[in-house]
Amino acid sequence: MGRTKGTWQTLDAAVAEKIPKGSAFTPSKTVAALDELTTPIAGAEKTTGALVNPTINEIKTNIAADMKANNGVMPYEALRAIRTKVGGMIENSLTSTVPNGELKKLYGALSSDMEAAANQAGAGQAFARQNAYYKARMERVENTLQRVLGDTPEATFAKFMPKDAAQA
């Protein structure tokens, strides 16, 4: 894990070096994803509003405030730092209070916005390479965990509990 994370960080830093310092972009896909994750469903606003994850809601509020303070844009370095933190939350999904699917949606939206920014700055190919590396890395991690833990809670229980203990 440490070796592949280091490789990805090197690739990510190479992309960041190609983006001019101080470059700022509108994270439209990130805003849209956060809106989707935090907007209650019409007709069940109270119920679905109660299901909105507080951390995702806070991220939405804070990104809106940061964009307002920066004339509707965010620095590339800020998007990069946010995406790295969201990626860390995905890697620690067993202890996270945010559903993994919501984190992946946010990570994907941040990646799309960063890809657009990298393309605009002429670093699209380098971005595509580091993004593909990270995706493959995470797929390997998830596939390994699934093989070890099982597809369902019941399968996980069966793998780790002796048959005699399950019958007791």
Side-chain angles (χ1 to χ4, degrees):
M1 287 293 292
R3 181 185 54 79
T4 59
K5 185 174 185 175
T7 300
W8 176 78
Q9 288 172 328
T10 300
L11 293 170
D12 185 54
V15 173
E17 287 176 17
K18 294 180 180 189
I19 310 286
K21 293 287 181 204
S23 294
F25 306 91
T26 303
S28 57
K29 299 230 190 266
T30 300
V31 170
L34 288 166
D35 283 345
E36 185 179 325
L37 291 169
T38 58
T39 301
I41 296 170
E45 291 86 358
K46 291 283 190 187
T47 303
T48 56
L51 297 172
V52 171
N53 184 276
T55 301
I56 295 290
N57 200 42
E58 185 175 7
I59 292 169
K60 176 187 174 180
T61 300
N62 292 340
I63 283 182
D66 290 339
M67 287 177 63
K68 185 176 180 183
N70 291 303
N71 298 315
V73 296
M74 290 190 72
Y76 181 84
E77 282 301 317
L79 292 174
R80 181 175 173 229
I82 294 166
R83 186 180 76 157
T84 298
K85 289 188 181 293
V86 171
M89 292 170 75
I90 292 169
E91 287 183 16
N92 296 316
S93 63
L94 294 175
T95 59
S96 177
T97 60
V98 181
N100 209 27
E102 292 184 16
L103 291 172
K104 286 180 178 181
K105 184 174 195 81
L106 178 56
Y107 188 94
L110 286 160
S111 293
S112 291
D113 287 330
M114 291 173 63
E115 180 178 29
N119 285 332
Q120 187 177 336
Q125 189 174 24
F127 183 87
R129 181 172 180 230
Q130 67 88 19
N131 202 43
Y133 184 88
Y134 183 82
K135 181 179 179 185
R137 176 180 182 264
M138 292 311 294
E139 284 175 0
R140 284 190 303 272
V141 168
E142 287 178 8
N143 289 339
T144 300
L145 282 175
Q146 189 173 18
R147 282 195 308 267
V148 171
L149 296 178
D151 293 330
T152 65
E154 293 81 11
T156 302
F157 181 81
K159 281 186 174 188
F160 291 100
M161 292 301 294
K163 290 189 189 278
D164 294 341
Q167 295 172 358

